[in-house]
């Protein structure tokens, strides 16, 4: 009988064309992982992920699962997979679970971060880790504007035009901005996200912080429900998939999230 295995995966999305397998010859995280796992399992493997990330987007702990008939220890899956992975992907943990677990459909919340570098000159080391904003940015204005997005709303103005989600309704549990060493980090958690939702929120808040739009723009966009009025999509390199949350019945060795950032409204 097949065994279901969950993995916590970290990756640098810079050189990948996103998470999802595409046409042959296109480098994706899913293809790299499935190839490595297949070598350990000695049979083809199909992965399911908590969330699909775009080209250039990183992950601190993407949660995935697969089914296998191979009998391997957790250590064998961990070490065997990692030795067959490229250096920009790593499996952090392995957890066998029953068939009721699904990396995507069992998730009850997801968390992202978006990093904004606020320095006079761009950083060579951060060029693929954060978006650089030149000039003054008013974080207080951004915080005031962000507050309007917390709660359950129709996020049509913040979804990609190509988004295929059936409903634009999402509940944002928290949206906070922290500053450290000239790095502004947007922390956001919700019961789910629409395509490009975090990057579109970041783009709107950046425009407000730079004085290019009023603080009330977030409220106005929620009411308009029109992506064409929603402003620019922020670049992908600042975005990180942090983790997904699951019901307590699924015990996973996940990264902790600060309690102050996990308060659910």
């Amino acid at each position: 009988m097949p065994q279901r295995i969950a993995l916590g995966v970290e990756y640098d999305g810079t050189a990948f064309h996103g998470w999802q397998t595409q046409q042959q010859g296109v480098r994706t995280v899913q293809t790299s992982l499935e190839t490595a796992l297949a070598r350990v399992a000695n049979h083809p493997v199909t992965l399911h992920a908590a969330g699909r990330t775009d080209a250039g987007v990183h992950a601190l702990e993407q949660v995935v699962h697969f089914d296998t008939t191979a009998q391997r220890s957790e250590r064998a899956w961990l070490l065997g997979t990692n030795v067959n992975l490229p250096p920009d992907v790593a499996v952090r943990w392995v957890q066998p679970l029953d068939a009721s677990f699904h990396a995507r459909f069992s998730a009850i919340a997801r968390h992202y971060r978006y990093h904004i570098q606020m320095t006079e000159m761009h950083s060579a080391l951060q060029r693929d880790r954060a978006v650089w904003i030149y000039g003054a940015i008013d974080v207080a204005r951004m915080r005031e504007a962000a507050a309007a997005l917390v709660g359950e709303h129709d996020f049509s103005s913040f979804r990609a035009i190509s988004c295929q989600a059936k409903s634009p309704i999402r509940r944002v549990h928290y949206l906070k901005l922290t500053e450290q060493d000239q790095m502004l980090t947007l922390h956001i958690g919700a019961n789910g996200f629409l395509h490009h939702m975090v990057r579109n929120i970041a783009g709107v808040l950046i425009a407000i912080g730079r004085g290019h739009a009023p603080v009330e723009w977030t409220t106005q966009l929620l009411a308009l429900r029109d992506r064409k009025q929603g402003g620019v999509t922020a670049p992908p390199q600042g975005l990180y998939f942090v983790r997904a949350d699951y019901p307590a019945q699924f015990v996973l060795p996940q990264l902790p999230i600060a309690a102050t950032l996990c308060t659910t409204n």
Side-chain angles (χ1 to χ4, degrees):
M1 185 175 180
Q3 169 72 62
R4 182 151 296 181
I5 306 291
L7 309 173
V9 183
E10 173 188 87
Y11 52 85
D12 177 342
T14 303
F16 288 103
H17 290 267
W19 159 262
Q20 190 174 9
T21 296
Q22 301 175 36
Q23 65 266 34
Q24 188 174 2
V26 175
R27 189 171 187 257
T28 68
V29 182
Q30 182 179 5
T31 299
S32 297
L33 267 169
E34 287 179 347
T35 300
L37 285 163
R39 290 175 179 168
V40 181
N42 199 30
H43 66 71
V45 166
T46 300
L47 285 170
H48 302 272
R52 298 173 181 175
T53 52
D54 293 330
V57 177
H58 317 295
L60 301 181
E61 189 184 70
Q62 174 73 271
V63 178
V64 304
H65 84 261
F66 66 97
D67 294 330
T68 180
T69 54
Q71 299 296 315
R72 307 283 188 270
S73 68
E74 293 172 33
R75 181 175 174 81
W77 283 118
L78 182 66
L79 298 182
T81 304
N82 278 331
V83 78
N84 284 292
L85 282 171
D88 43 3
V89 188
V91 176
R92 311 310 301 177
W93 52 260
V94 175
Q95 182 67 52
L97 293 166
D98 63 55
S100 65
F101 175 83
H102 194 286
R104 178 184 175 190
F105 297 120
S106 297
I108 56 176
R110 292 169 177 82
H111 306 265
Y112 283 87
R113 293 178 192 164
Y114 194 89
H115 292 298
I116 302 165
Q117 183 191 358
M118 302 185 299
T119 54
E120 184 177 353
M121 300 297 295
H122 78 278
S123 168
L125 297 179
Q126 294 291 338
R127 69 189 186 280
D128 295 323
R129 303 287 186 274
V131 60
W132 175 54
I133 300 298
Y134 175 75
I137 186 165
D138 190 327
V139 179
R141 283 171 53 88
M142 295 175 70
R143 289 193 174 108
E144 185 179 352
L149 300 175
V150 177
E152 186 170 275
H153 302 287
D154 182 325
F155 283 93
S156 292
S157 294
F158 296 90
R159 69 191 295 186
I161 293 176
S162 61
C163 180
Q164 298 178 355
K166 294 180 180 179
S167 171
I169 307 298
R170 295 292 185 271
R171 174 171 285 275
V172 172
H173 299 318
Y174 65 85
L175 176 49
K176 298 180 182 291
L177 292 146
T178 61
E179 298 176 78
Q180 184 176 6
D181 299 329
Q182 295 183 295
M183 186 70 75
L184 176 64
T185 302
L186 184 157
H187 307 262
I188 185 169
N191 62 352
F193 289 90
L194 303 165
H195 190 203
H196 284 175
M197 180 173 159
V198 180
R199 289 171 59 191
N200 290 336
I201 287 174
V204 165
L205 293 180
I206 289 169
I208 292 170
R210 300 186 73 185
H212 297 164
V215 169
E216 297 79 15
W217 196 28
T218 48
T219 302
Q220 294 167 359
L221 289 173
L222 288 174
L224 286 169
R225 302 178 184 178
D226 182 1
R227 175 57 199 151
K228 293 179 181 178
Q229 306 297 321
V232 68
T233 301
Q237 66 265 27
L239 185 58
Y240 295 72
F241 182 97
V242 176
R243 59 169 272 167
D245 293 343
Y246 295 92
Q249 69 194 72
F250 303 118
V251 181
L252 301 174
Q254 293 184 283
L255 291 171
I257 296 280
T260 56
L261 296 182
C262 285
T263 301
T264 301
N265 294 314

